[in-house]
Amino acid sequence: MEKREHVRCLIVGSGPAGYTAAIYAARANLAPVEYCGLQPGGQLTQTTTVENFPGYPDGVEGTQMMDDLRRQAANFGTDLRDGVIVKADLGSRPFVLTTDDGKEIEADTVIIATGASAKYLGLEDEKKYNGLGVSACATCDGFFYRKRTVAVVGGGDTACEEAIYLAGLAKKVYMIVRKPYLRASDVMRRRVEKTDNIEILYEHNTLGLYGENGVEGAHVVKRKGEPDEERYDLPIDGFFLAIGHKPNSDVFKEWLETDETGYIKTIEGTPRTKIAGVFAAGDVADPHYRQAITAAASGCKAAIEADRYLQTLE
């Protein structure tokens, strides 16, 4: 039987949080090992130009920015590995984590940076136009739709927030809501209803998208399955999903506290979890901001906390 590998600092997941944690941990001589997951670089590898990350005055492609961070982590000595952590035992020390190929790793500290995945409708066109008009982050991509027409899918608080944000940039914002009402709180509903360039399309579903070199419109249906069902095309330039995110925390739920959605709970103001030596950084522990810059900052904090924790052991 293969002997377990022992590491001082194991980072699970990549993206801004994971790579930043790796940079700081490596510079602190923690010899970090980072398992980069199924999508090295995280959600930013699915976007196009990133304009709101400091240090890139002309913007940068999401894949390029993640490659820059990855190379920086590697240059300081991070052991970057492909693969996924599929099992975790955080009930004893050192912690034991198992990879998808059956390898067991003992770790003195663990930084969880597995991110969160945006929920999609499941349409093939969402994949076809990903980065070409389809987005799951208004704050990230709304700037590209100034004075244009966009649609936001969803009827909760997040969808309302996204619609209001986009209304400050776009010429027109449609909200595509499958129910005959908004699920959002009253205060958010009132804000949406008072915004002149937001139009709510109640009892609507999206059937698909169309366009030559990007999204030019959506195929929608009103009152689907009812006798007065109506199908038509809605001309838009951008299609924003706002139906929620799923934190990639399932492997750790047995051991850590999460909220009702699955976001890992941390001690307020820190990346520390209820288990000493285990830290959570980035979108897996952030239901509010979900930005590259906040994820990177939390990765920095997690690595510093891991170093401090190891010093107390020594």
Side-chain angles (χ1 to χ4, degrees):
M1 183 176 177
E2 184 181 1
K3 185 179 179 181
R4 285 181 178 175
E5 178 184 10
H6 184 273
V7 302
R8 299 183 73 201
C9 180
L10 179 65
I11 300 170
V12 186
S14 51
Y19 286 146
T20 303
I23 291 167
Y24 275 78
R27 293 183 74 251
N29 294 321
L30 303 188
V33 170
E34 180 173 9
Y35 274 85
C36 296
L38 292 173
Q39 187 180 26
Q43 292 188 81
L44 278 183
T45 59
Q46 293 186 311
T47 191
T48 50
T49 304
V50 178
E51 293 189 330
N52 56 1
F53 196 93
Y56 294 99
D58 299 317
V60 61
E61 294 297 301
T63 51
Q64 180 62 54
M65 190 175 92
M66 289 300 94
D67 186 56
D68 289 344
L69 287 175
R70 182 185 177 92
R71 287 190 295 109
Q72 190 172 358
N75 287 346
F76 284 116
T78 303
D79 184 348
L80 294 161
R81 301 179 183 179
D82 294 328
V84 179
I85 298 297
V86 297
K87 184 180 178 182
D89 180 356
L90 306 180
S92 59
R93 300 175 191 277
F95 310 114
V96 179
L97 293 94
T98 307
T99 67
D100 51 353
D101 61 1
K103 182 180 178 67
E104 290 187 337
I105 301 173
E106 294 181 346
D108 294 326
T109 59
V110 176
I111 296 175
I112 302 167
T114 46
S117 301
K119 294 179 182 178
Y120 287 82
L121 297 174
L123 304 173
E124 278 300 315
D125 288 340
E126 289 173 315
K127 300 176 183 176
K128 177 181 178 181
Y129 294 106
N130 190 27
L132 297 171
V134 172
S135 172
C137 180
T139 308
C140 309
D141 299 324
F143 184 77
F144 302 112
Y145 297 90
R146 289 172 297 172
K147 307 302 180 184
R148 303 176 78 179
T149 300
V150 300
V152 174
V153 180
D157 279 347
T158 298
C160 289
E161 288 172 3
E162 301 272 90
I164 292 168
Y165 176 81
L166 289 167
L169 299 167
K171 176 178 64 176
K172 176 80 173 183
V173 178
Y174 292 103
M175 288 189 70
I176 301 176
V177 182
R178 62 186 178 89
K179 294 182 179 294
Y181 56 87
L182 291 175
R183 293 183 293 104
S185 59
D186 285 344
V187 63
M188 292 305 300
R189 176 182 55 78
R190 289 194 295 270
R191 286 178 187 172
V192 165
E193 292 173 347
K194 289 179 180 179
T195 306
D196 292 338
N197 60 336
I198 296 178
E199 181 177 344
I200 306 172
L201 304 177
Y202 290 113
E203 297 184 273
H204 276 65
N205 287 275
T206 306
L207 301 175
L209 303 168
Y210 63 89
E212 289 296 320
N213 299 311
V215 171
E216 296 176 7
H219 304 299
V220 298
V221 55
K222 180 179 181 181
R223 292 179 56 78
K224 184 178 180 181
E226 299 298 324
D228 58 347
E229 173 182 296
E230 178 186 355
R231 299 184 179 219
Y232 64 96
D233 289 344
L234 180 71
I236 55 173
D237 303 298
F239 186 76
F240 288 83
L241 281 303
I243 53 178
H245 286 74
K246 183 185 184 303
N248 302 318
S249 60
D250 289 352
V251 172
F252 307 100
K253 278 186 175 180
E254 179 183 353
W255 307 102
L256 301 175
E257 291 184 58
T258 63
D259 68 10
E260 64 278 3
T261 306
Y263 288 98
I264 295 174
K265 291 184 177 181
T266 58
I267 297 172
E268 188 173 359
T270 80
R272 299 194 300 269
T273 68
K274 72 172 187 176
I275 299 178
V278 178
F279 310 93
D283 288 9
V284 73
D286 178 11
H288 302 296
Y289 301 107
R290 296 192 297 270
Q291 297 298 301
I293 189 64
T294 52
S298 66
C300 160
K301 293 178 183 179
I304 291 174
E305 290 282 358
D307 184 34
R308 291 174 177 171
Y309 173 76
L310 289 170
Q311 289 180 34
T312 64
L313 295 183
E314 294 166 359

